[in-house]
Amino acid sequence: MGVHQIGGSAAFLWALSGGWVSSGVAQTIAIGDPGFETAVIAPCGFTAAISGGTHPFWQAGGPGEIGIWDPGTCWDLTAPEGQQVAYSNGGSAKQVLGTAALAGTTYTLSAKLGRRSHPCCGFSSAVLELWAGGTRFGLRTVAAAEAPAPGAWQTYSVTGTTPAGLAAGQLLEVRFGASNSQVNFDDLRLVVGGAPVCAADLGGPGGVPGSDGVLNNNDFIVFIDLFFAHAAAADVGTTGGTPGTDGVWDNNDFVVFIDRFFDGC
């Protein structure tokens, strides 16, 4: 996650938390090639492998171009994880996982979304979806107003709960895509539960809410503001300091936030 930059807020939160409590790690569900590194391509190159049907894990979810590329040092965007990223010029991708969905269970899918700093690629909208068999149980649309700054990445997530009567054996499926103008994707993660994949990465530069992949003083500032506003993003802990959401803003949320912050999520 990077270096922790801790100021006066750390002592304040530590005192309220009552000390260090280990919260463990959310149960992760494997996604094939979540960082799009499997089919290695040359720096600055790209291939429409997903919409072309040649990617070993991802399939096209509909019409439109979608593939992978290596920005290298030639372009206006760099990969936040690994060397390669996925791009969508209006296409979508899907992957049926090897894990069956459990009925009445909450899952969270997160992904880093990137925005080109180029006149070619004004961010319009993007989607993240959760499916179980033929049932969609989670949808997040990222509108232009929520887009990362040009040349930057930001983490977004969608949380959904499967129907209580979901038939056994329905495989989990994840999807992502963009409406038309290019959006880039990287580092997809799927976990069981409704808490953010990184419960401590809540603040961007200047104390503005939003995941930025860095744990520093901004996350403390945003957490405190969200906590006292009873915002959903600060509901990260349940009874006993276990990660999750319970609709209550109390000491358990401080415990989980601090544990995740110092553990680097």
Side-chain angles (χ1 to χ4, degrees), residues 117-257:
S117 181
H118 191 280
C120 74
C121 309
F123 192 108
S124 52
S125 68
V127 295
L128 298 174
E129 300 181 55
L130 287 166
W131 290 72
T135 301
R136 185 174 70 185
F137 65 93
L139 170 65
R140 170 72 187 276
T141 299
V142 181
E146 303 175 83
W153 294 83
Q154 186 169 320
T155 301
Y156 300 84
S157 63
V158 55
T159 296
T161 302
T162 56
L166 183 72
Q170 302 297 304
L171 295 179
L172 286 164
E173 180 180 327
V174 295
R175 300 186 185 187
F176 67 89
S179 58
N180 44 57
S181 185
Q182 187 178 125
V183 176
N184 294 271
F185 301 83
D186 202 3
D187 196 22
L188 276 76
R189 302 185 187 188
L190 180 63
V191 298
V192 179
V197 172
C198 180
D201 185 16
L202 298 176
V208 176
S211 301
D212 62 1
V214 179
L215 296 181
N216 56 25
N217 230 29
N218 294 312
D219 300 295
F220 281 98
I221 293 169
V222 170
F223 176 78
I224 292 171
D225 288 343
L226 294 174
F227 180 88
F228 287 108
H230 286 187
D235 182 17
V236 295
T238 63
T239 303
T242 301
T245 58
D246 60 4
V248 178
W249 288 263
D250 57 15
N251 203 50
N252 293 302
D253 300 298
F254 281 95
V255 169
V256 170
F257 175 82

